[in-house]
Amino acid sequence: MAPAGNLPIYEVEGEIVAALRGREGGRLVLEAPTGSGKSTQLPQMMLDHDLVPRGEIVVLQPRRIAARMLARRVAAERGGRAGGEIGYQVRFEKVAGRETKVRYVTEGVLLRQMLDDPELGRVGAIVFDEFHERHLHGDVMLALALSLQRGPRPDLKLVVMSATLDSDRLESHLSPCQVVRSTGRTFPVEVRHVPPRAKKGAAGVWDAVAAVLRDEVLAKGVEGDVLVFLPGAYEIRRTVELLRRMGGLAGWDIRPLHGALPPPEQDAAVAPSAHRKIVVATNVAETSLTIDGVKVVIDGGTARVASFDGRRGFNTLTVQKISRASADQRAGRAGRVAPGLCLRLWSERDHAGRPAAQEPEVRRLDLSEILLALAAAGYRPGEMPWLDPPGELTVGGATELLADLGALRRGGVEITDLGRRMVAFSAHPRFARMLVEAERESCVAEAALCVALCQGRDLFVRGG
C-alpha cells in the first residue's frame, strides 16, 4: 500500500483547496480515475485545510461494504478507529458519535436524516462518491442538496466525484461550480475477449472462470494477483469452491468479496497477502474499493441490476449484462501497479452491442418509496432540480399507488397522517401499509416476518 501522500489525488490538492475555499467554493466536480485516492483522501483534505468550519462532512457511498471499509481505512490512516473522528452509518448500523467529523454513509441514510432535520443543519458538506453509477438515492440527494443550497443552506458545500463522469454536463447542471480533473497514474491494460467454448451439459460461469484462469493465466505464466468479477454471492461461492479444488493453485490465497460477508472476511479479501491472491467479487470491487497487487482481471460481464417488476409491483434484482463503461472500469483495475491483462468472458461482437452506460435508476425504478419520503419532507418532484428528471408515467404510477394506499391525498401532493406513519418504516410503501394495518389486526410479528422474507438479504446463514 502506497503512503497516502504519494497517491495521484495529491497532484491536484492545491486546485481542490482553492475550488472549495472562499465565497465561490460551494460546488466542486472532481474527475479522478479509480485508485487515485479520492474516496479516502478528499475528506481528509477538507478536514486538514479547514474547508468545512461548521458541521460534519458526509460522504455518500452506493454500497454498505464500501462505506464501512473506507471509514475504517481513513480512521486508521489518521491514527484512530471508526466511530471517532471518522465514522460510518449504513442501514441498521451506526458507528459514529458526537466527535465524528467525517461520516461515510449509504445514500439512503441521508435522505432518512432529512425527515428529522429538513435543512441538514448538522451537515457542512456532502460528497457524492462514484456518482457515475447514478443510483436513485444519489440522484435524489443531489437534487435535494441543490434545493437546500439555493435556499436556506447557501453555506452547504457539494462535491460530486467519480472516475468516469460526464463532467461537462454536470458542470452545466451545477453552474456555477469548479471542475478539477486528475489524470492519475495508470498502466496499459491488454484486453482479450475469451468467450467460453460450447460444452455438453450444464456449465456455470464458475467453470468458465476456472478454464480461463488455467489456460490464459497459469499456462502462460502471467504474474500478479487476480480479480474476478461475478454477479452475486451464489456464483462467487461456487467459483471459490471450484478454484480451491483446482490443480495448480496450491498456496494461492483465494477469497470471496461481497456485501453479505462478515466484515473480517471482507477485510481479508482486500488486505495484502503473503501469497498470490485471487479475489472473486461482485461489482463492489469495480469502483470504491482498491485491491493492491492486482494485475489480472477476469470479467464475467454481468451484474445484479435493480429494475422495476411491473407484474409484482416491486423493484427487483436481475442478472444483466454490464455496460461498456462498467467493463472499462473493471479492466482498469488490472493497470494500477503495472501493465495488466483483462480477460472478458464474452465476444467482441457482444461487447459492441452493449449500452455505452447504464441507464440512471431514476428512469427505471419504482419511485413510490422515494416520493413518499419527499412528500414527508415537503418537496414536490416536479419542482426539484433533477439531473435526469423521472418520466411522467413513472411519477404518475407511483403517485397513484400512494393515493390507493392512503399515504397521499388524491392529486398526489399532500401527505396524510397515515402516510407519515408509513414513512417511518424503511420499507416499500406496500410493506409499510401492511405493517400499519398489522398493528390494528394484532398480527405485527407475522407481518414483520413476511416483510423480512421479501427483502433483498437472505435471512438464513449459509455454511462454508
Side-chain angles (χ1 to χ4, degrees):
M1 184 186 304
N6 292 335
L7 290 168
I9 196 66
Y10 280 96
E11 295 173 1
V12 293
E13 181 179 12
E15 295 178 57
I16 292 171
V17 172
L20 287 175
R21 177 166 284 156
R23 299 177 62 182
E24 300 300 322
R27 300 174 199 153
L28 168 67
V29 172
L30 175 60
E31 186 177 344
T34 296
S36 61
K38 60 186 179 298
S39 300
T40 57
Q41 304 309 308
L42 178 106
Q44 297 189 67
M45 292 178 188
M46 296 173 78
L47 277 182
D48 294 340
H49 290 278
D50 196 27
L51 298 177
V52 185
R54 186 178 71 85
E56 64 181 354
I57 301 166
V58 175
V59 185
L60 299 186
Q61 286 293 326
R63 298 176 183 87
R64 283 176 270 192
I65 179 175
R68 291 191 194 102
M69 298 187 77
L70 288 169
R72 290 200 294 266
R73 169 81 171 264
V74 174
E77 288 183 1
R78 298 181 71 84
R81 299 179 62 183
E85 181 188 42
I86 312 297
Y88 68 88
Q89 185 176 357
V90 300
R91 194 179 188 192
F92 305 134
E93 183 183 9
K94 182 178 181 180
V95 181
R98 292 181 178 274
E99 68 275 27
T100 299
K101 297 179 180 178
V102 175
R103 182 164 50 106
Y104 286 83
V105 307
T106 42
E107 295 163 329
V109 166
L110 193 59
L111 179 59
R112 304 294 302 186
Q113 183 178 334
M114 283 194 70
L115 299 179
D116 298 323
D117 182 15
E119 294 186 5
L120 294 177
R122 298 186 297 275
V123 176
I126 303 175
V127 179
F128 296 81
D129 198 9
E130 306 302 351
F131 187 74
H132 73 279
E133 295 192 21
R134 299 302 304 278
H135 287 275
L136 175 59
H137 285 92
D139 272 25
V140 171
M141 277 311 310
L142 181 60
L144 289 173
L146 277 172
S147 296
L148 280 177
Q149 197 186 55
R150 292 168 178 171
R153 288 295 313 279
D155 61 310
L156 182 66
K157 293 183 184 292
L158 306 180
V159 180
V160 182
M161 62 185 191
S162 175
T164 53
L165 280 172
D166 185 350
S167 51
D168 292 338
R169 182 162 174 253
L170 265 171
E171 181 181 9
S172 175
H173 180 68
L174 299 177
S175 180
C177 75
Q178 303 290 320
V179 179
V180 174
R181 293 180 176 89
S182 169
T183 57
R185 295 191 292 270
T186 58
F187 294 87
V189 175
E190 178 188 358
V191 176
R192 297 185 207 155
H193 290 266
V194 285
R197 300 184 184 93
K199 189 175 182 180
K200 290 183 179 180
V205 67
W206 43 89
D207 296 302
V209 169
V212 167
L213 184 64
R214 180 187 62 241
D215 298 339
E216 301 292 335
V217 178
L218 299 180
K220 296 181 179 180
V222 178
E223 298 181 349
D225 293 343
V226 180
L227 175 59
V228 181
F229 285 102
L230 294 177
Y234 173 74
E235 294 85 357
I236 289 173
R237 180 167 58 85
R238 291 292 301 268
T239 302
V240 168
E241 290 172 352
L242 178 58
L243 295 183
R244 285 175 175 170
R245 298 194 306 267
M246 194 173 100
L249 294 177
W252 285 60
D253 189 8
I254 302 172
R255 299 281 184 175
L257 179 61
H258 56 81
L261 287 173
E265 292 186 42
Q266 296 171 353
D267 292 340
V270 301
S273 174
H275 308 281
R276 285 190 72 179
K277 185 162 66 172
I278 300 173
V279 178
V280 189
T282 60
N283 56 2
V284 67
E286 185 178 309
T287 49
S288 300
L289 300 178
T290 296
I291 304 172
D292 293 321
V294 170
K295 295 182 183 179
V296 180
V297 165
I298 299 176
D299 189 354
T302 59
R304 277 187 164 79
V305 178
S307 55
F308 180 60
D309 184 342
R311 291 177 302 173
R312 294 189 294 170
F314 291 103
N315 296 324
T316 187
L317 291 173
T318 57
V319 177
Q320 299 179 20
K321 294 179 180 180
I322 62 172
S323 67
R324 298 197 304 272
S326 290
D328 290 343
Q329 283 268 24
R330 294 179 176 189
R333 288 301 191 176
R336 285 285 328 286
V337 296
L341 172 66
C342 175
L343 301 165
R344 291 175 174 167
L345 304 185
W346 66 94
S347 68
E348 292 185 59
R349 182 177 181 180
D350 182 346
H351 186 75
R354 296 185 177 212
Q358 185 73 45
E359 185 180 28
E361 285 187 350
V362 72
R363 292 285 184 86
R364 56 186 166 87
L365 293 186
D366 169 46
L367 301 180
S368 56
E369 186 175 353
I370 288 292
L371 294 189
L372 182 59
L374 291 177
Y379 288 90
R380 299 183 181 185
E383 299 173 354
M384 293 172 58
W386 299 98
L387 180 59
D388 286 291
E392 291 183 11
L393 290 177
T394 304
V395 173
T399 300
E400 184 176 356
L401 171 62
L402 292 171
D404 289 344
L405 294 172
L408 295 182
R409 302 195 192 285
R410 291 294 168 183
V413 175
E414 186 180 352
I415 190 169
T416 64
D417 291 340
L418 174 61
R420 293 195 180 279
R421 292 184 65 192
M422 289 168 58
V423 81
F425 296 99
S426 184
H428 189 279
R430 294 182 189 271
F431 292 138
R433 181 69 178 87
M434 183 171 71
L435 291 169
V436 171
E437 189 67 18
E439 182 180 16
R440 191 173 69 86
E441 298 292 339
S442 301
C443 58
V444 171
E446 292 84 353
L449 178 60
C450 290
V451 172
L453 288 168
C454 292
Q455 299 303 298
R457 297 289 181 183
D458 199 337
L459 288 180
F460 302 103
V461 178
R462 298 182 183 273

